[in-house]
Amino acid sequence: SQTIHQWPATLVQPVGSPLSLECTVEGTSNPNLYWYRQAAGRGLQLLFYSVGIGQISSEVPQNLSASRPQDRQFILSSKKLLLSDSGFYLCAWSRTSGRINEQFFGPGTRLTVL
Amino acid sequence: AQSVSQHNHHVILSEAASLELGCNYSYGGTVNLFWYVQYPGQHLQLLLKYFSGDPLVKGIKGFEAEFIKSKFSFNLRKPSVQWSDTAEYFCAVILSGGYNKLIFGAGTRLAVHP
């Protein structure tokens, strides 16, 4: 069966510090991968998605970047965190069979920028 | 821009009460509709989905939703809620032609009191 991991689970970082959140998927190959953010009182917003290694699409302009160095690894980064980067970050994956597919979500990382 | 609206941000019910959570989307083309649920301390998980066919879809744990195309709606219902239904519920759509990208509503926090 497939599983998705995210770490760390929680993170407190000062403004201006770098960020690296990692997501890995097991039990499937060539998945679509997604990063979402949920800010307080708001729904989940798609930040990035990837259909293959090295292929990243950004949905909204922001202080963050994403990379996919391996088929089942998706990394969310920032060089300098802003207060507004605080939120709950979720990674998700879906199959790429050509149909619309359900997305499966990881446990999330709660980021607090002080 | 395409969007998803959930009308109720917080809902409080007593056990055995009936539940209906509203969801409307703004998109004139083909959509695929989802309800996700996040129980306290757990991953976001799929409750039910509509791709095509019978507009009344049944999901896990006794939930159902009805797709009304003319109203651009996909309301979630349950005839009798339980304390264990306390969770946050998210409506989401995937637009035709996209890379399986989910557009989420802001979510509804449901609290069920014994």
Side-chain angles (χ1 to χ4, degrees):
Chain A
S1 64
Q2 301 85 13
T3 56
I4 178 169
H5 305 278
Q6 284 186 249
W7 64 92
T10 60
L11 190 60
V12 180
Q13 291 285 98
V15 169
S17 64
L19 172 75
S20 181
L21 303 182
E22 191 162 344
C23 169
T24 58
V25 181
E26 296 176 357
T28 188
S29 60
N30 193 33
N32 285 344
L33 296 171
Y34 311 84
W35 277 112
Y36 291 87
R37 175 172 60 198
Q38 183 180 19
R42 303 179 65 179
L44 286 86
Q45 181 184 38
L46 179 63
L47 303 176
F48 301 95
Y49 68 93
S50 172
V51 299
I53 296 174
Q55 300 180 61
I56 309 294
S57 295
S58 174
E59 286 296 295
V60 292
Q62 57 205 319
N63 182 43
L64 303 169
S65 62
S67 62
R68 186 171 176 174
Q70 299 180 48
D71 182 44
R72 290 169 289 175
Q73 184 185 31
F74 204 25
I75 298 172
L76 184 69
S77 305
S78 175
K79 292 181 179 178
K80 289 186 177 181
L81 283 169
L82 306 172
L83 286 174
S84 57
D85 292 324
S86 292
F88 190 56
Y89 289 83
L90 284 167
C91 181
W93 73 274
S94 70
R95 295 183 177 86
T96 56
S97 64
R99 298 177 52 226
I100 299 294
N101 286 304
E102 171 187 353
Q103 289 185 25
F104 300 90
F105 287 83
T109 295
R110 187 161 300 283
L111 172 65
T112 303
V113 182
L114 302 174
Chain B
Q2 298 83 15
S3 65
V4 178
S5 299
Q6 291 182 243
H7 316 299
N8 314 101
H9 295 294
H10 291 92
V11 174
I12 301 173
L13 295 173
S14 298
E15 277 193 318
S18 64
L19 170 72
E20 181 160 2
L21 301 182
C23 172
N24 287 88
Y25 62 92
S26 61
Y27 182 67
T30 302
V31 293
N32 302 277
L33 298 152
F34 303 79
W35 276 97
Y36 279 85
V37 60
Q38 188 167 31
Y39 297 103
Q42 296 188 27
H43 296 204
L44 196 67
Q45 59 185 283
L46 183 68
L47 201 54
L48 49 77
K49 60 188 176 185
Y50 172 79
F51 288 173
S52 63
D54 188 345
L56 183 63
V57 293
K58 296 189 183 298
I60 60 172
K61 304 185 180 184
F63 286 89
E64 65 178 31
E66 185 175 12
F67 170 49
I68 303 179
K69 188 175 181 179
S70 61
K71 295 185 178 180
F72 299 90
S73 70
F74 190 55
N75 292 355
L76 181 71
R77 299 193 292 250
K78 185 171 184 178
S80 176
V81 295
Q82 301 172 317
W83 175 80
S84 58
D85 293 323
T86 295
E88 189 160 17
Y89 294 80
F90 294 92
C91 182
V93 304
I94 290 178
L95 308 179
S96 59
Y99 285 104
N100 220 43
K101 296 181 289 182
L102 279 167
I103 302 172
F104 280 91
T108 298
R109 286 188 183 275
L110 171 66
V112 180
H113 295 306

